[in-house]
Amino acid sequence: MKKILMVFGTRPEAIKMAPLYKILAKEPDFIVRVAITAQHREMLDQVLDLFKIVPEYDLNMMKEGQTLYDITAKALIGLRDVLADFEPDLVLVHGDTTTTLAASLAAFYASIPLGHVEAGLRTGDKFAPYPEEMNRCLTDVLSDFYFAPTKQNRDNLLLENIDDDKIFITGNTVIDALMMTIKEPLSLDEFGLADVDWNKKVILLTCHRRENWGEPMLEIFRGIRDVVENREEVDVVFPVHKNPRVRKAAEEIFAGLTRVHRIEPLDYHPFSHLMARSYLVLTDSGGIQEEAPALGKPVLVLRDTTERPEAVAAGTVKIAGTGREGVRRETLALLEDEEQYKRMAMQANPYGDGTACNQICDIIKIRENQQKIIFFVDFLVVILIWQYIILVM
């Protein structure tokens, strides 16, 4: 039986790996185990509870004030022991977190094949986003199997001399997770949203990336404040990340604005329903650029670049940048221009149809069967050689 270890450490990774775990765990020929670093603790646990996943290995390494050095070193040492204990035949990682990089390096040190889910995303700038761009580039250098969401991701990998027969275009597993979650009905009133006027044009805002800390984030928030102060028909719902820098910036700019509803971070179930009820999404998150279009919601990206250019090309996403004027202008355009809004809302989602996890599972099974066939053929060849030697002697 093939032993598969799935490693993740943050909420976005857990969301995108959970439906894949559910599929793989049902396969009778696979033994599947989950190792979490808990790079994020509380938000990760929310997703694990939602999808009813109990990790076999928990490094529980989240601590306040730790640096990228700390996270990388702790994860690498902790996963060394996990690999030694479980001895997997395949390690699966996701995306571009520090956990992803550490797990990839640990698998390489142990000479264990590595599969990268959501491979091939690129901005071309190693500091945007930081450290994610280098995390995913280095992970792809170490990987043996590449599960690319789109053709653009595949092309990126080919430009880096990755063998074409190791790359598989599957769509993004986040759509699988979203479709599973949105089926479950839920009232949003209990999540600090009872006073939101859903008859208005509700904007969902998320903003937390390291590259936006400081003045870029303040500029983004100023642009959103301009919109709220000048458009009475707008409410903003902002689940505020727990990072103190994000919270300080939000308090500085949004204090006193009653139509900016600052709430605690939501777990994935209510957040999915919040996306579905929103009119428009403003975000610096990567995954939301893939999820919101599946619900027919236009997305403005609060960054100067994106590793998801296929969404921009498809017309479901537009880059608003991090400047006050750009954020204000692009948001108002979608609020005021109905035709532009409809064009974005009605475009086909380039990230697939919710079958990515089944495709990945089938690919792993096919590769496993190919290995069995190769082993059987090699065995037959050895037997024939021995028979020939015996006859000759």
Side-chain angles (χ1 to χ4, degrees), residues 8 28 55 64 75 81 99-100 120 164 166 174 205 214 216 220 223 258 272 284 290 297 308 369 372 374-375 388:
F8 47 88
E64 289 188 13
D81 298 337
T99 290
T100 302
D164 195 13
K166 296 180 179 178
V174 74
L205 167 65
I220 290 168
T258 58
S272 297
D284 64 0
E290 301 155 347
K297 308 301 176 181
R308 293 165 173 83
N369 290 335
K372 289 178 180 177
I374 291 170
F375 174 82
Y388 175 77

Side-chain angles (χ1 to χ4, degrees), residues 192-361:
L193 298 171
D195 57 345
V196 176
D197 186 349
W198 297 105
N199 294 314
K200 292 185 176 182
K201 293 180 177 179
V202 175
I203 296 173
L204 170 58
L205 167 65
T206 76
C207 190
H208 70 277
R209 275 191 184 269
R210 185 184 300 262
E211 69 197 77
N212 280 339
W213 290 355
E215 190 60 25
M217 187 168 289
L218 293 171
E219 278 287 283
I220 290 168
F221 292 171
R222 290 178 187 123
I224 294 167
R225 182 181 181 113
D226 291 343
V227 172
V228 174
E229 289 180 334
N230 288 281
R231 304 293 302 201
E232 289 292 331
E233 80 278 17
V234 168
D235 269 22
V236 174
V237 176
F238 183 12
V240 185
H241 196 278
K242 289 186 177 294
N243 186 284
R245 299 192 188 194
V246 179
R247 298 208 160 199
K248 181 179 178 182
E251 174 63 22
E252 180 177 337
I253 304 300
F254 294 134
L257 280 183
T258 58
R259 286 187 290 114
V260 176
H261 305 269
R262 286 179 285 154
I263 62 174
E264 289 300 308
L266 298 172
D267 69 27
Y268 190 59
H269 193 191
F271 188 82
S272 297
H273 282 267
L274 176 56
M275 274 197 297
R277 294 196 68 176
S278 298
Y279 182 79
L280 171 65
V281 178
L282 275 63
T283 186
D284 64 0
S285 167
I288 294 174
Q289 296 176 50
E290 301 155 347
E291 295 168 298
L295 300 172
K297 308 301 176 181
V299 178
L300 292 179
V301 179
L302 303 172
R303 294 164 59 189
D304 296 317
T305 185
T306 178
E307 57 285 294
R308 293 165 173 83
E310 52 277 296
V312 178
T316 59
V317 164
K318 190 172 184 180
I319 295 176
T322 58
R324 177 178 187 170
E325 175 55 27
V327 172
R328 185 193 69 83
R329 182 182 64 251
E330 297 298 341
T331 305
L332 288 175
L334 284 172
L335 292 171
E336 296 169 355
D337 187 339
E338 188 174 343
E339 287 305 312
Q340 180 178 340
Y341 180 90
K342 285 182 178 179
R343 281 195 303 272
M344 291 186 71
M346 297 176 68
Q347 295 296 333
N349 188 354
Y351 297 107
D353 56 4
T355 62
C357 294
N358 281 307
Q359 292 182 57
I360 293 171
C361 180

